[in-house]
Amino acid sequence: MQSSRQELLRLLASKSFRLGEFKLSSGGTSDYYIDCRTTTLDAKGARLTGEVFRDEIRRRGWKAQAIGGLTLGADPIVVAVSVVSGDLNGFLVRKAEKQHGTGQRIEVFREKGARVVIVDDVCTTGASTVQAIEAAREFGFEVVGAMCLVEREEAKGRPSVEKAAAPAPFVSIFTARDVRTEHVAHMDDTAPVIFAVAAKCEICGRPAATNIPGNRCAAHKV
């Protein structure tokens, strides 16, 4: 039987990961796109996400009272972990303070001094995680850890998050490379070989010799 972690990785690879050419919010481009919400808002994916985050928080002995993060990416994770754990409260961090009502930025759980974990779905530049950490501390929470579901290592956002979180640690459940490897490994390999034109190998970047399964060079084709 697969562990919750293995099942979650498999689901991310099949539901959330796509190869191609995509424009990033930074203005650059990438040969892959990952939208974790298609997994964290999936019924099975939500349960697995909750279990994996809960287990990691307990394994690290953070003794957290609540988890939260910047809306919108963190929202499904916060709910999933709260439901699965049964004892971790959830809070949401608005991108800006409300201009009406109470005008608060931290929503729902608001116990000053509480030990909290900041969560996010994808860490690219790390900006959303950093915003959530800063808002949590400004409110009066004690940040004991920061976590993301998938870290895009090539974007080099880790140093910014680690600096903002310190002395609390920053943990990624998976890297984008983990998800990509799982995605490529389980692509359909039953179709006939079709030779690729002007394409690069998904694994090493060399010229592709086939695009079934996926763009592969001679060394990596199945």
Side-chain angles (χ1 to χ4, degrees):
M1 182 178 294
Q2 288 186 320
S3 68
S4 295
R5 188 184 182 93
Q6 290 171 321
E7 286 188 84
L8 181 57
L9 177 59
R10 186 74 180 269
L11 208 57
L12 283 166
S14 63
K15 280 185 166 290
S16 297
F17 190 90
R18 295 292 179 269
L19 289 166
E21 187 171 334
F22 303 94
K23 186 173 183 178
L24 303 176
S25 59
S26 62
T29 59
S30 174
D31 67 346
Y32 74 90
Y33 179 72
I34 184 162
D35 182 359
C36 287
R37 289 168 298 184
T38 58
T39 294
T40 58
L41 287 170
D42 173 83
K44 181 178 180 182
R47 175 180 60 80
L48 293 171
T49 298
E51 290 174 355
V52 171
F53 273 78
R54 175 204 61 193
D55 293 348
E56 187 67 21
I57 290 169
R58 289 179 177 174
R59 187 180 72 82
R60 291 181 175 271
W62 286 340
K63 296 182 171 59
Q65 295 166 257
I67 62 163
L70 195 72
T71 191
L72 180 65
D75 297 3
I77 298 174
V78 171
V79 174
V81 179
S82 292
V83 170
V84 168
S85 71
D87 59 6
L88 281 169
N89 296 294
F91 65 91
L92 304 178
V93 181
R94 289 180 176 271
K95 294 179 181 179
E97 291 182 351
K98 287 194 299 185
Q99 299 304 307
H100 59 280
T102 58
Q104 59 197 30
R105 190 174 182 192
I106 303 291
E107 294 286 2
V108 190
F109 181 81
R110 294 172 56 82
E111 184 178 319
K112 290 186 182 293
R115 295 169 61 87
V116 304
V117 176
I118 300 300
V119 296
D120 209 343
D121 57 356
V122 178
C123 176
T124 305
T125 64
S128 60
T129 311
V130 170
Q131 285 184 57
I133 291 169
E134 291 174 345
R137 284 190 171 140
E138 184 178 346
F139 172 76
F141 287 144
E142 179 187 353
V143 176
V144 296
M147 301 174 69
C148 73
L149 181 53
V150 178
E151 178 186 355
R152 296 186 65 138
E153 293 175 298
E154 77 281 1
K156 305 187 187 309
R158 173 171 282 273
S160 296
V161 179
E162 288 181 329
K163 181 179 179 180
F170 170 52
V171 177
S172 58
I173 302 297
F174 303 111
T175 65
R177 180 175 295 183
D178 294 332
V179 182
R180 183 187 192 117
T181 299
E182 184 72 12
H183 175 83
V184 171
H186 291 91
M187 288 178 68
D188 182 14
D189 59 0
T190 61
V193 172
I194 302 174
F195 288 97
V197 179
K200 294 181 179 180
C201 176
E202 295 167 352
I203 298 175
C204 68
R206 288 181 292 188
T210 177
N211 60 9
I212 298 295
N215 294 331
R216 303 287 184 87
C217 66
H220 291 112
K221 68 180 181 179
V222 177

